Amino acid sequence: MGFTGFPDEAFVFYEGLEADNSKTYFTLHRHLYEEAVRAPMLALVEELAEEFGTAKLFRPYRDVRFAKDKSPYKDHQGAFIDVQPGVGLYVEVGASGLYTAGGFYTQAPDQVARYRAAVDQDLSGKPLERIVADLRDRGYTVDGDRLKTRPRGVPEDHPRLDLLRHRSLHCGRRYEPEPWVHTPEAGERVRATWRDYGPLVEWVAAHVRGSELISAGRR
């Protein structure tokens, strides 16, 4: 059976989990998680795999070893397609709705150094500037971890100073749980946004990892 949307029970499950993030709640409602959250997410990524590649579903458990917040469960179900380590396409469902994203998430020093070197050069930096501007014009949020000040050695008047501050760079869009989320249209929305993220993912794959260009839309 193909992807038919996320049922209302998926959002009810996460609303309840936000109110009671406990093993007792999760165990009691695990059938809702399996049937209304995990199964539809698996169906969604399997439907999109031919175009974008195989996705990994994240576990529902939080890693609380070094966290101040000891809540045991994540408040969303996410899935990620690794185009390269830490670079790829993402989708999640939670109480707040459906979220899609794509870009560069890791912050290894060598990756950040390659990213900034590529942004600094006009030949590679200007295309990224255009990609980011286009995504913003389309209504996507451009985000990522970044410095509050400029990186060491970068002049104050650098034309791409804002991009050079980034240590990770990704774009995304959040959809509230409107009626279409319960239908196959949700899959088409994810597909459309992932296609839009393709140029950013391709740019990162080409410059941050320094390896063969991989197209997110043709994998």
Side-chain angles (χ1 to χ4, degrees), residues 138-182:
R138 290 168 177 250
Y140 293 108
T141 299
V142 177
D143 208 345
D145 181 63
R146 59 184 178 181
L147 300 173
K148 293 182 179 179
T149 58
R150 69 183 187 278
R152 186 176 301 172
V154 174
E156 293 182 6
D157 61 349
H158 195 290
R160 290 177 295 280
L161 178 58
D162 184 63
L163 287 172
L164 284 166
R165 288 193 177 110
H166 280 264
R167 288 182 291 215
S168 63
L169 178 67
H170 45 83
C171 58
R173 176 173 288 169
R174 187 171 298 281
Y175 298 97
E176 294 184 0
E178 299 176 2
W180 59 262
V181 176
H182 310 313

Side-chain angles (χ1 to χ4, degrees), residues 78-153:
F80 187 72
I81 296 176
D82 252 337
V83 174
Q84 291 180 356
V87 178
L89 299 163
Y90 178 74
V91 59
E92 72 171 41
V93 64
S96 60
L98 183 68
Y99 176 70
T100 74
F104 164 42
Y105 291 87
T106 60
Q107 299 175 39
D110 62 316
Q111 291 176 309
V112 175
R114 285 196 292 272
Y115 165 78
R116 288 184 175 150
V119 173
D120 183 51
Q121 298 295 318
D122 285 347
L123 188 63
S124 48
K126 285 184 176 180
L128 177 62
E129 196 172 26
R130 290 192 293 269
I131 289 168
V132 169
D134 179 64
L135 287 165
R136 286 196 172 111
D137 288 345
R138 290 168 177 250
Y140 293 108
T141 299
V142 177
D143 208 345
D145 181 63
R146 59 184 178 181
L147 300 173
K148 293 182 179 179
T149 58
R150 69 183 187 278
R152 186 176 301 172

